[in-house]
Amino acid sequence: EIVLTQSPGTLSLSPGERATLSCRASQSISSSYIAWYQQKPGQAPRLLIYGASSRATGIPDRFSGSGSGTDFILTIRGLEPEDFAVYYCQQYGYSPRTFGQGTRLEIK
Amino acid sequence: QVQLQQWGAGLLKPSETLSLSCSVHGESFSGYYWTWIRQPPGKGLEWIGEINESGSTSYNPSLESRVTISLDTSKNQFSLKLTSVTAADAALYYCARGPSQRIFTQLGFYYNGVDVWGQGTTVTVSS
């Protein structure tokens, strides 16, 4: 099973700042199979990024993904108030399709 | 626009069987894996398993001995059964579409993530 480790656990930033969230895999994964999700309280997760760097439909371009091998990054430029949420990475190239434990992005 | 609507019993006693169903509106089953994911209160996401249009399944090894995912194409729905539940199975359960199988474009191909989610069903286990 591929373990995904997200860091930091909690990130405290102010609106307008840049957020950098990390997802490290226990073994190399093709970037084709990395996704990022945003989850707000009381809501289902929402797909932000697939294939490590492609934005899902309707996702603003302040969200971007990058990385390869074992290290993947989600960057949010110019944080908006609605961006403060929990973010999860997922690998879907191998079964079981594992998630990271999440990074909570909170308002400083 | 694809929509998933899920239902099932939300209160179970220990040792009972959890049974949830998910109706797919606006899409056929082809080209995607159809997935169940759960989230214990205050915790992260756990992948339970998936099924494709052919009925081929894959399960989380931690649950494999107790879980069955099935497909009913005539009703356009898929289902989850989890036997012998305990308090550790209490969670918000989601049905979802994705990941996709290979999607071809003019520029090449890609694999989409889990892009459509049901509304979630809270399952409580209590004697």
Side-chain angles (χ1 to χ4, degrees):
Chain A
E1 172 177 324
I2 295 177
V3 176
L4 299 180
T5 302
Q6 293 187 240
S7 60
T10 301
L11 185 57
S12 299
L13 293 170
S14 300
E17 291 191 295
R18 171 195 292 242
T20 303
L21 286 66
S22 173
C23 177
R24 176 163 287 177
S26 58
Q27 65 187 70
S28 183
I29 304 172
S30 167
S31 59
S32 295
Y33 303 111
I34 291 293
W36 289 91
Y37 303 87
Q38 176 194 67
Q39 188 177 33
K40 297 179 181 179
Q43 296 184 17
R46 176 174 69 146
L47 178 66
L48 299 175
I49 300 288
Y50 63 90
S53 61
S54 297
R55 276 186 299 278
T57 302
I59 301 304
D61 62 6
R62 65 179 182 274
F63 291 89
S64 62
S66 62
S68 63
T70 60
D71 293 301
F72 300 91
I73 298 289
L74 174 69
T75 301
I76 314 171
R77 294 181 291 106
L79 284 166
E80 298 284 348
E82 61 267 27
D83 298 337
F84 292 91
V86 179
Y87 292 82
Y88 295 94
C89 60
Q90 184 202 21
Q91 67 78 21
Y92 50 98
Y94 298 88
S95 185
R97 324 273 202 190
T98 46
F99 290 93
Q101 82 279 17
T103 289
R104 180 178 303 277
L105 178 57
E106 64 176 26
I107 299 177
K108 187 173 183 179
Chain B
Q1 184 176 356
V2 182
Q3 290 187 320
L4 304 181
Q5 186 172 10
Q6 57 183 104
W7 70 95
L11 179 59
L12 298 171
K13 292 181 169 56
S15 80
E16 290 186 335
T17 295
L18 180 158
S19 183
L20 299 176
S21 293
C22 183
S23 184
V24 179
H25 302 277
E27 179 68 85
S28 70
F29 287 109
S30 65
Y32 286 89
Y33 294 93
W34 299 85
T35 295
W36 289 95
I37 292 163
R38 71 181 183 180
Q39 186 170 34
K43 296 188 176 182
L45 302 169
E46 181 180 26
W47 183 83
I48 297 171
E50 66 189 20
I51 191 165
N52 68 9
E53 68 266 33
S54 302
S56 177
T57 55
S58 180
Y59 300 128
N60 191 321
S62 67
L63 300 169
E64 189 162 16
S65 62
R66 299 192 291 130
V67 68
T68 302
I69 296 174
S70 59
L71 192 66
D72 187 335
T73 55
S74 67
K75 296 182 180 178
N76 233 40
Q77 66 188 43
F78 62 109
S79 300
L80 169 70
K81 289 191 186 303
L82 183 66
T83 62
S84 305
V85 299
T86 69
D89 296 310
L92 180 57
Y93 284 74
Y94 292 103
C95 63
R97 184 183 80 166
S100 72
Q101 296 173 34
R102 186 177 292 188
I103 298 174
F104 289 93
T105 72
Q106 289 184 331
L107 300 177
F109 62 88
Y110 67 95
Y111 300 89
N112 204 2
V114 179
D115 64 344
V116 182
W117 297 71
Q119 78 276 21
T121 300
T122 297
V123 173
T124 302
V125 180
S126 175
S127 55

